[in-house]
């Protein structure tokens, strides 16, 4: 049974890459939650199209569902434009309506077919290999792989074709508009791509994993780099890693594959959040501590300079007095003094602190500038 | 440092020592020492990004400084609430919030009421009096998003008035207001000074400084000068603060 | 009528209706604060984030006791909220991305736990997946009792700390300056919102709970400009939506309760947006129409007046064609309106002139324009 396992990981990876490509721009443009709205709204599109064509394999389903996704976006934006409802509330109002109608239609009209609400939300990747694509009587692989493969190729082609427009309108929409790239067109283009991708992916992985894959790997990459090409590359990497590791995790626990993949995207995000060299919380905390000490040591040097040559020098320039005067805690004061000595700002004789020539120079520079 | 000695000989209204504030490793305020004596009407001036608002927020304890201390009437900031009346920038709140002018002014009484107690008829009287003082009594029941910018600013002033504090901090109250509001603010500042209150105002218009204030603090990340307006606003100081370009010709 | 009668006699239906009404009241009241603080989507994130908490509580205690599951959900929802606040504060990621991450990752992990539980031999009937889509018909009296007790506690705290929550929502900096502990207040209010959301999960489910938080508040906001009234109206709209939704779904076979409630409450939003006095869109459109009409009439008056100045007689009638030459508004309607207000006099054919009242009005209009 190696083949189905490989196929699942392959499908997962293809879905992941197809999702992160629009996801990068959703995250950068601050419209990440539109993916949440779209991935729920497409349910209505799917069920309506299904009720018309009465099969789940028609490409019409993808078109109908994508339309529902784009419609959600434009309705949300219409609601915001009325100025009666704020942006965040508007997002949260429209998609539940679509989703509710979808669920009701399924319950009333289509409860006997494959689409059930659980599958929509959760997806069942484990069954994906059993749904084969048959061309000219030959089994050419899992159906989901073909669908997502085509969407992936489309996404890559669109990304390459419109890279410049996307980049410009994301980072400087004003300039983009003045150069003749319509921001509305780029926005709706991106929303259409997001919808099509979500529709293709939901069947395999469910709408929540679509959200996880579209937002989390790009957000993880954004914690690690500021350059767009590198961000796209890292997003793809984290997407694929999450898909593969998620499958392993699900296999070990005999639990939901989609859920495991979402969990893995979260794990990578947490690691980046803690340890990113530029943005990580741990890294930041350490540099902040270091800066605090460095800053305080410089302040200490300035303080010593201001007392230099006065008659209070011997009484003022002691650690105890610094604790008092600068409002430091005792423990911090010792660390700061030690740092200042190490850096050669000051020297210490018993309790008395005095500036080195280097420290005097430094203190002068600080107090003048 | 001469500031504190030229006061009335009692504790300074606001004392800032070695204050440094940094956003994302970049210092916004650097080693500020300021001592503001009681009873002065002081303008905080400086170019954009000079840290004026940051200084106000640091004094109020709204921002945690990287280093340094603030004392208000001799006490650390965590215990000075109810000693400071505050007029924030008008843009800092959502004016579409469902409430009316009187209600906003009543919020100025909340600090006196403490936890759980509701404002009573005396608080309403005080709030109405404050609205009267800023010429807004007829708009008491008006929804706040139906007020003009100047009227909103006056509501904020009335709210600070009912705080009945010995010290007032105001962040750019003159920005984007009509002539009527400008006069109302100036009258109010003078009235507060006559009552012996200390008023610190972030101000952006150098031309009106001498007319409106008696003291000034010139700031550009560092403190450049503090003292009576005429001593602070000199060509040399302005050059340091604004860097040759804007200062010349202002006086 | 039968349905309403049934609501009082049918035991199950009565339980469901009480549950959905309570849910509507609590989420409407607390949702108002979430919406005003621009935390609308917090509801979506918290409700998804609660799932792993429910599963973990079940795994630890091996019981479906509503209170223990509730505690687990609140714990996880709360953890998700704290993480969102932390990440927002310390990274350059935008808030909506962070919401999306917490929402999908917590939910994904919950799903792992849920499927794992379902494959455990003795727990296949745990029924935890009702939390996904909600199932009002599974509400038991003990569930409703818990909702009532917790709902009352939440509302009592809300009323007791009304002034504090109001100042926190409008101007947190000012709350701090007034001596309130803003962080403590923030945590308290957020906890109440978390509790309100979790209370509704069993009834409407994870996905649709966000609508119950946002919609009643969004609808209520259109009707009033007072916070207190808004909260009350939101609670009423929430309660009505819950009851109406439950009644409709119980009368149509196979109609799920959660989505029906959401559609009812969304209809309230739609109606409020269109028809609410002052803020309603139809109202605004009517006002705009009136203003435009008024403006048009004023322009005609001013033009007639300035034309008449060329003659010595201010009442001098002019051909409508001359008016058309300087203005471009639709005249016949404006003239008819002015005539009905006896501002102008019809001199026959296309000739119109000002009356004394019209002259007076035109002068005051001109003065307004000058000043």
């Amino acid at each position: 049974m190696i083949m189905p396992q490989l196929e699942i990981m392959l499908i997962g990876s293809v879905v992941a890459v197809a999702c992160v490509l629009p996801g990068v721009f959703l995250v950068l443009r601050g419209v990440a939650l539109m993916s949440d709205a779209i991935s729920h709204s497409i349910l209505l599109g799917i069920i309506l199209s299904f009720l018309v064509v009465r099969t789940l394999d028609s490409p019409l389903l993808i078109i109908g569902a994508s339309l529902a996704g784009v419609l959600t976006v434009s309705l949300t934006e219409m609601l915001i434009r009325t100025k009666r409802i704020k942006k965040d509330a508007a997002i949260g109002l429209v998609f539940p309506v679509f989703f509710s109608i979808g669920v009701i239609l399924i319950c009333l009209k289509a409860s006997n077919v494959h689409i059930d609400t659980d599958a929509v939300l959760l997806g069942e990747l484990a069954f994906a290999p059993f749904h084969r694509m048959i061309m000219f009587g030959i089994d050419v692989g899992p159906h989901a792989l073909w669908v997502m493969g085509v969407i992936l190729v489309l996404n890559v082609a669109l990304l390459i074709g419109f890279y410049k427009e996307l980049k410009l309108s994301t980072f400087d929409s004003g300039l983009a508009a003045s150069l003749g790239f319509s921001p509305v067109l780029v926005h709706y283009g991106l929303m259409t791509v997001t919808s099509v991708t979500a529709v293709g992916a939901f069947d395999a992985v469910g709408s929540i994993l679509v959200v996880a894959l579209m937002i989390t790997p790009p957000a993880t990459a954004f914690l690690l780099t500021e350059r767009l090409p590198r961000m796209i590359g890292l997003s793809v990497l984290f997407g694929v890693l999450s898909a593969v590791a998620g499958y392993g995790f699900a296999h070990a626990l005999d639990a939901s594959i989609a859920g495991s993949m979402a969990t893995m995207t979260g794990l990578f995000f947490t690691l980046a959040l803690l340890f990113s060299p530029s943005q990580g919380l741990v890294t930041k905390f350490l540099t902040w501590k270091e800066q605090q000490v460095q800053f305080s040591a410089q302040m200490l040097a300035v303080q010593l300079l201001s007392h230099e040559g006065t008659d209070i020098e011997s009484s003022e320039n002691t650690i105890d007095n610094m604790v008092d005067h600068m409002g430091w805690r005792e423990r911090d004061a010792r660390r700061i003094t030690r740092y200042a000595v190490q850096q050669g700002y000051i020297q210490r004789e018993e309790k008395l602190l005095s500036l080195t020539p280097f420290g005097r120079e430094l203190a002068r520079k600080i107090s003048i500038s | 440092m001469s500031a504190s000695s030229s006061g009335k000989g009692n504790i300074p209204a606001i004392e800032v020592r070695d204050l440094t504030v940094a956003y994302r490793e970049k210092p916004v305020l650097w080693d500020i020492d300021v001592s503001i004596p009681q009873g002065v009407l002081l303008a905080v001036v400086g170019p954009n990004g000079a840290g004026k608002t940051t200084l106000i927020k640091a004094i109020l304890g709204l921002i945690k400084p990287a280093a340094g201390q603030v004392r208000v009437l001799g006490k650390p900031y965590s215990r000075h609430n109810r000693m400071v009346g505050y007029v924030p920038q008008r843009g800092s709140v959502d004016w579409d919030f469902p409430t009316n002018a009187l209600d906003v002014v009543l919020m100025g009484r909340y600090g006196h009421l403490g936890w759980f107690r509701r404002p009573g008829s005396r608080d309403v009287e005080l709030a109405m009096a404050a609205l009267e003082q800023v010429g807004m009594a007829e708009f008491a029941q008006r929804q706040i998003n139906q007020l003009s910018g100047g009227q909103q600013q006056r509501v904020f002033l009335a709210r600070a008035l009912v705080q009945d504090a010995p010290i007032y901090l105001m962040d750019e109250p003159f920005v984007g207001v009509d002539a009527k509001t400008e006069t109302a603010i100036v009258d109010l500042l003078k009235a507060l000074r006559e009552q012996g209150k200390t008023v610190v105002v972030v101000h952006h218009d150098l031309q009106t400084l001498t007319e409106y204030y008696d003291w000034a603090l010139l700031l550009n990340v560092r403190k450049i000068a503090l003292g009576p307006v005429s001593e602070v606003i000199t060509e040399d100081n302005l050059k340091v603060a604004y860097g040759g370009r804007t200062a010349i010709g202002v006086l | 009528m039968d349905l309403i009668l049934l609501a009082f006699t049918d035991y199950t239906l009565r339980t469901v209706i009480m549950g959905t009404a309570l849910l509507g009241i609590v989420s409407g009241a607390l949702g108002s604060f979430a919406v005003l603080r621009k935390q609308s989507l917090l509801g979506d994130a918290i409700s998804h984030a609660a799932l792993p908490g429910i599963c973990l509580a079940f795994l630890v205690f091996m019981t479906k006791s509503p209170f223990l599951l509730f505690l687990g959900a609140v714990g996880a929802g709360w953890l998700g909220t704290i993480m969102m606040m932390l990440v927002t504060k310390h990274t350059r990621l935008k808030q909506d991305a962070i919401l999306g991450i917490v929402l999908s990752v917590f939910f994904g992990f919950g799903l792992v736990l849920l499927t794992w539980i379902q494959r455990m031999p003795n727990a296949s009937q745990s029924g935890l997946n009702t939390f996904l889509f909600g199932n009002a018909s599974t509400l038991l009296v003990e569930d409703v009792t818990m909702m009532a007790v917790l709902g009352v506690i939440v509302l009592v705290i809300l009323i007791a700390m009304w002034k504090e929550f109001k100042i926190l929502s409008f101007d947190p900096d000012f709350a701090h300056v007034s001596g309130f502990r803003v962080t403590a207040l923030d945590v308290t209010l957020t906890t109440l919102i978390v509790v309100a959301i979790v209370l509704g999960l069993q009834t409407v489910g994870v996905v649709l709970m966000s609508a119950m938080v946002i919609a009643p508040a969004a609808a209520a906001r259109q009707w009033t400009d007072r916070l207190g009234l808004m909260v009350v109206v939101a609670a009423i709209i929430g309660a009505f939506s819950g009851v109406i939704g439950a009644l409709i779904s119980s009368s149509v076979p196979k109609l799920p309760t959660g989505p029906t409630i959401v559609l009812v409450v969304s209809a309230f939003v739609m109606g409020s947006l269109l028809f609410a006095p002052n803020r309603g869109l139809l109202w605004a459109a009517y006002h705009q129409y009136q203003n435009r009409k008024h403006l048009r009439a004023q322009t005609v008056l001013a033009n007639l007046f300035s034309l008449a100045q060329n003659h010595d007689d201010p009442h001098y009638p002019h051909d409508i064609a001359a008016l058309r030459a300087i203005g471009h508004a639709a005249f016949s309607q404006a003239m008819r309106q002015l005539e009905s207000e006896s501002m102008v006099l019809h001199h026959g054919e296309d000739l119109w002139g000002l009356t004394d009242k019209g002259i007076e009005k035109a002068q005051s209009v001109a003065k307004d324009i000058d000043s």
Side-chain angles (χ1 to χ4, degrees):
Chain A
M1 281 298 278
I2 277 298
M3 265 313 273
Q5 292 185 9
L6 266 181
E7 279 177 357
I8 290 173
M9 280 194 262
L10 194 59
I11 295 170
S13 305
V14 170
V15 169
V17 178
C19 284
V20 300
L21 293 182
V24 165
F25 294 95
L26 293 176
V27 167
L28 286 176
R29 296 162 77 99
V31 288
L33 276 177
M34 279 298 177
S35 67
D36 185 36
I38 287 174
S39 68
H40 286 95
S41 288
I42 53 176
L43 176 70
L44 177 60
I46 289 173
I47 180 71
L48 283 177
S49 317
F50 171 80
L51 289 176
V52 173
V53 297
R54 287 281 160 191
T55 164
L56 281 171
D57 284 339
S58 162
L60 215 70
L61 249 63
I62 293 193
I63 296 172
S66 304
L67 276 179
V70 176
L71 192 63
T72 307
V73 175
S74 57
L75 273 181
T76 305
E77 284 166 359
M78 247 174 69
L79 215 51
I80 298 169
R81 270 200 303 274
T82 67
K83 296 207 173 118
R84 301 300 192 277
I85 286 174
K86 299 251 154 52
K87 184 184 167 197
D88 56 333
I91 295 176
L93 278 172
V94 176
F95 83 82
V97 174
F98 277 58
F99 191 76
S100 296
I101 300 175
V103 171
I104 287 174
L105 284 178
I106 290 178
C107 293
L108 295 184
K109 305 256 177 199
S111 52
N112 51 346
V113 285
H114 161 75
I115 355 178
D116 59 277
T117 42
D118 276 27
V120 173
L121 208 54
L122 321 175
E124 207 26 287
L125 207 47
F127 298 144
F130 300 115
H131 186 41
R132 311 300 293 187
M133 186 81 165
I134 312 288
M135 260 188 230
F136 312 113
I138 306 163
D139 175 3
V140 288
H143 186 261
L145 190 57
W146 277 92
V147 172
M148 281 318 289
V150 170
I151 291 174
L152 174 60
V153 171
L154 272 176
N155 285 0
V156 171
L158 285 169
L159 177 66
I160 294 171
F162 294 98
Y163 183 76
K164 192 176 69 221
E165 286 80 357
L166 268 171
K167 185 175 171 180
L168 201 58
S169 72
T170 300
F171 294 106
D172 190 345
S173 59
L175 179 63
S178 70
L179 289 178
F181 308 138
S182 157
V184 180
L185 209 64
V186 174
H187 177 63
Y188 272 91
L190 182 61
M191 289 303 156
T192 309
V193 169
T194 307
S195 298
V196 173
T197 311
V199 175
F202 108 97
D203 191 30
V205 298
S207 53
I208 297 296
L209 182 57
V210 171
V211 178
L213 284 175
M214 279 191 179
I215 304 179
T216 319
T220 312
F222 192 49
L223 291 178
L224 296 170
T225 178
E226 294 192 4
R227 297 194 39 227
L228 183 57
R230 207 172 286 170
M231 187 177 159
I232 295 174
L234 282 173
S235 304
V236 169
L237 179 72
F238 286 123
V240 173
L241 279 179
S242 305
V244 175
Y247 178 72
F249 185 54
H251 193 68
L253 278 178
D254 190 17
S256 157
I257 301 172
S260 302
M261 288 181 178
T263 310
M264 285 302 146
T265 63
L267 186 69
F268 288 121
F269 177 78
T270 312
L271 288 177
L273 179 66
L274 291 178
F275 303 112
S276 154
S278 60
Q279 295 266 307
L281 296 185
V282 173
T283 341
K284 264 191 180 168
F285 182 72
L286 291 178
T287 30
W288 180 74
K289 272 273 171 208
E290 161 121 16
Q291 272 177 349
Q292 285 260 309
V293 173
Q294 186 193 8
F295 173 77
S296 304
Q298 288 174 357
M299 285 298 109
L300 176 64
V302 173
Q303 199 64 39
L304 291 178
L305 182 72
S306 70
H307 292 154
E308 230 173 28
T310 61
D311 45 358
I312 51 166
E313 189 175 355
S314 57
S315 63
E316 285 277 303
N317 290 359
T318 63
I319 293 187
D320 292 343
N321 192 54
M322 287 300 150
V323 169
D324 205 43
H325 188 89
M326 312 278 277
W328 292 338
R329 279 180 305 179
E330 184 101 22
R331 193 159 44 102
D332 292 341
R334 306 218 173 271
R335 196 165 67 225
I336 294 158
T337 322
R338 206 176 325 123
Y339 178 88
V341 173
Q342 266 170 19
Q343 297 289 315
Y345 298 170
I346 61 166
Q347 53 214 352
R348 236 180 116 157
E349 290 161 51
E350 294 289 313
K351 288 203 144 183
L352 198 66
L353 309 172
S354 62
L355 286 168
T356 62
F358 171 68
R360 196 169 298 120
E361 189 67 21
L362 181 84
R364 263 200 204 112
K365 231 187 266 165
I366 294 171
S367 44
I368 290 168
S369 67
Chain B
M1 288 300 122
S2 62
S4 53
S5 55
S6 68
K8 297 173 186 168
N10 47 16
I11 33 171
I14 296 170
E15 193 170 25
V16 174
R17 269 171 61 189
D18 309 326
L19 182 78
T20 295
V21 180
Y23 288 135
R24 301 184 187 267
E25 285 102 49
K26 193 174 158 273
V28 185
L29 287 175
W30 182 264
D31 196 24
I32 303 280
D33 278 290
V34 170
S35 184
I36 300 169
Q38 292 184 38
V40 299
L41 176 50
L42 174 134
V44 182
V45 280
N48 285 335
K52 301 180 295 266
T53 296
T54 308
L55 177 65
I56 299 285
K57 290 198 166 177
I59 293 172
L60 290 168
L62 291 167
I63 293 177
K64 213 177 147 227
Q69 306 137 32
V70 173
R71 284 174 178 270
V72 175
L73 292 173
K75 292 197 184 113
Y77 64 66
S78 56
R79 276 185 280 140
H80 72 217
N81 51 65
R82 272 184 276 169
M83 291 196 289
V84 183
Y86 177 41
V87 179
Q89 286 186 12
R90 190 156 47 86
S92 66
V93 301
D94 174 14
W95 290 95
D96 197 33
F97 195 85
T99 189
N100 60 25
L102 177 63
D103 234 19
V104 172
V105 178
L106 272 175
M107 286 182 194
R109 297 296 304 162
Y110 287 9
H112 291 269
L113 294 168
W115 291 81
F116 305 116
R117 260 178 55 204
R118 300 286 170 91
S121 57
R122 204 181 77 86
D123 298 303
V124 175
E125 273 167 35
L126 286 168
M128 281 308 297
L131 278 169
E132 186 77 51
Q133 201 178 339
V134 296
M136 287 289 293
E138 54 181 313
F139 298 105
Q141 300 297 330
R142 187 72 70 87
Q143 154 68 9
I144 52 173
N145 70 4
Q146 285 162 15
L147 300 172
S148 73
Q151 291 170 333
Q152 289 174 344
Q153 191 61 262
R154 279 185 272 159
V155 170
F156 263 3
L157 285 168
R159 180 177 71 168
L161 277 179
V162 299
Q163 286 184 280
D164 191 25
I167 297 168
Y168 282 91
L169 300 184
M170 305 185 181
D171 199 349
E172 304 253 25
F174 290 104
V175 164
V177 300
D178 49 302
K180 190 178 172 199
T181 304
E182 178 137 359
T183 328
I185 302 175
V186 174
D187 290 348
L188 192 72
L189 292 179
K190 290 191 175 137
L192 286 171
R193 182 179 46 190
E194 263 150 42
Q195 292 167 31
K197 314 248 178 187
T198 312
V199 187
V200 176
V201 184
V202 174
H203 198 78
H204 65 291
D205 181 13
L206 290 173
Q207 267 141 14
T208 48
L209 269 188
T210 17
E211 192 186 328
Y212 293 174
Y213 303 95
D214 32 57
W215 273 47
L217 165 63
L218 191 57
L219 198 70
N220 189 358
V221 183
R222 294 159 178 282
K223 178 182 83 179
I224 290 156
L226 169 70
V229 175
S230 55
E231 288 170 29
V232 169
I233 305 302
T234 64
E235 206 162 300
D236 287 346
N237 281 340
L238 289 176
K239 230 181 250 174
V240 176
Y242 290 83
R245 53 203 160 81
T246 41
I248 316 298
V250 160
L251 300 174
Chain C
M1 262 332 270
D2 286 353
L3 208 57
I4 294 167
L5 195 68
L6 199 65
F8 288 102
T9 50
D10 183 285
Y11 183 72
T12 320
L13 187 58
R14 202 169 61 200
T15 315
V16 170
I17 284 176
M18 270 160 46
T20 51
L22 275 168
L23 151 79
I25 291 170
V26 179
S27 58
L30 270 301
S32 299
F33 283 92
V35 167
L36 289 176
R37 302 182 73 204
K38 301 190 188 64
Q39 295 180 325
S40 299
L41 293 167
L42 201 65
D44 201 19
I46 290 173
S47 58
H48 282 81
L51 185 65
I54 294 170
C55 297
L56 277 177
F58 177 79
L59 278 173
V60 171
F61 301 108
M62 278 298 168
T63 152
K64 264 186 70 196
S65 145
F67 188 66
L68 289 175
L69 295 188
F70 166 82
L71 282 186
V74 168
W78 208 71
L79 183 71
T81 316
I82 299 292
M83 281 182 70
M84 279 185 272
M85 287 176 176
L86 261 176
V87 181
T88 316
K89 196 172 163 196
H90 291 288
T91 71
R92 57 180 178 201
L93 280 169
K94 298 205 170 84
Q95 174 132 31
D96 75 320
I98 298 161
L99 279 168
I101 292 168
V102 167
L103 178 157
S104 59
V105 171
F106 271 65
F107 186 79
F109 184 57
L111 216 52
V112 170
L113 293 176
L114 189 64
T115 43
W116 193 49
I117 289 170
Q118 282 169 339
R119 277 158 207 173
M120 284 169 29
N122 57 346
S124 54
Q125 294 305 313
S126 69
L128 288 182
N129 49 356
T130 54
F131 284 98
L132 291 177
F133 293 99
N135 191 346
S137 61
T138 61
L139 280 179
L140 301 173
V141 174
E142 52 172 344
D143 296 320
V144 175
T145 313
M146 189 188 76
M147 285 171 82
V149 172
L150 286 167
V152 167
I153 293 175
V154 164
L155 292 179
V156 165
I157 297 176
L158 182 67
I159 292 167
M161 297 180 67
W162 181 259
K163 154 175 130 275
E164 285 75 11
F165 290 151
K166 182 175 177 177
I167 194 171
L168 174 78
S169 305
F170 177 64
D171 192 345
D173 280 0
F174 194 77
H176 170 97
V177 172
S178 300
F180 295 103
R181 296 231 233 115
V182 170
T183 318
L185 273 178
D186 197 355
V187 170
T188 313
L189 183 53
T190 308
T191 307
L192 296 186
I193 294 175
V194 171
V195 170
I197 289 166
V198 169
L199 278 182
L201 287 185
Q202 196 186 346
T203 314
V204 294
V206 161
V207 185
L208 295 176
M209 193 52 213
S210 79
M212 289 310 293
V213 173
I214 304 172
R221 178 67 188 91
Q222 313 309 322
W223 294 94
T224 170
D225 280 334
R226 300 303 306 263
L227 178 65
L229 214 51
M230 174 179 166
V231 170
V232 172
V233 173
I236 292 172
I237 290 178
F240 267 95
S241 308
V243 173
I244 296 171
L247 284 176
I248 294 177
S249 84
S250 73
S251 61
V252 179
K254 292 202 287 188
L255 190 66
T257 320
T260 311
I261 296 177
V262 168
L263 288 187
V264 172
V265 78
S266 302
F268 271 110
V269 175
M270 205 58 218
S272 309
L273 266 181
L274 288 176
F275 303 114
N278 296 322
R279 277 177 78 101
L281 294 174
L282 288 182
W283 187 277
Y286 177 70
H287 264 260
Q288 205 178 5
Y289 168 74
Q290 286 285 330
N291 278 342
R292 213 173 281 158
K293 213 164 84 177
H294 183 65
L295 201 69
R296 214 186 297 145
Q298 285 199 341
T299 316
V300 171
L301 270 186
N303 287 347
L304 260 178
F305 187 64
S306 72
L307 280 175
Q309 306 232 297
N310 299 334
H311 310 264
D312 288 332
D313 175 17
H315 303 93
Y316 191 89
H318 283 273
D319 197 294
I320 202 160
L323 284 169
R324 278 220 181 86
I326 41 173
H328 39 74
F331 280 102
S332 42
Q333 200 191 356
M335 293 325 263
R336 234 175 292 129
Q337 189 200 335
L338 286 171
E339 192 179 19
S340 72
E341 292 168 18
S342 54
M343 300 267 199
V344 293
L345 199 65
H346 196 185
H347 293 248
E349 284 296 304
D350 281 339
L351 289 178
W352 296 83
L354 290 169
T355 61
D356 286 337
K357 192 178 168 200
I359 293 167
E360 200 177 303
K361 178 74 184 167
Q363 278 166 334
S364 83
V365 169
K367 213 185 286 167
D368 276 355
I369 292 166
D370 281 347
S371 63

